[in-house]
Amino acid sequence: MNPDALRESCWEVRSQLWLGEGGFGCSPRARGQAVYAVCLGDGEKTRWNRSDFSGVLDEQYLPDWALEKLEELRAPRQEQSAGPAMGGMS
């Protein structure tokens, strides 16, 4: 994340590493600018503009804490169903 897009109190590394999860801004050839992202430091989810990001960081350069959070976010979520889905199909 570009530090200029953040408040000064959020300039530490934990607030600058975000995972883009969606939006047209995630695609380099799309016209849209919206990037829906989650902060690897505290899990906050918000919308940013593509220009708010400094660039893409290769995973090999992520600190250990950020890799752990990234793995946690990418893990398949197991949802417990309370019963059959709509229409009786599961």
Side-chain angles (χ1 to χ4, degrees):
M1 179 66 59
N2 185 343
D4 294 334
L6 299 169
R7 292 184 306 250
E8 188 173 345
S9 62
C10 298
W11 284 358
E12 70 276 356
V13 174
R14 286 187 175 270
S15 297
Q16 292 184 20
L17 295 176
W18 290 73
L19 172 64
E21 296 185 313
F24 288 114
C26 286
S27 177
R29 299 184 195 275
R31 285 186 175 175
Q33 296 294 314
V35 175
Y36 298 96
V38 60
C39 180
L40 295 181
D42 62 10
E44 175 187 356
K45 292 184 176 190
T46 193
R47 179 207 180 275
W48 296 98
N49 285 326
R50 181 187 305 165
S51 60
D52 293 328
F53 291 88
S54 298
V56 177
L57 182 64
D58 193 302
E59 288 181 29
Q60 70 180 0
Y61 299 113
L62 285 174
D64 291 338
W65 64 265
L67 280 172
E68 290 174 14
K69 183 65 174 182
L70 186 61
E71 289 174 10
E72 178 184 316
L73 291 170
R74 288 182 173 168
R77 297 177 188 216
Q78 296 180 359
E79 297 181 24
Q80 297 178 351
S81 76
M86 188 166 55
M89 310 267 311
S90 54

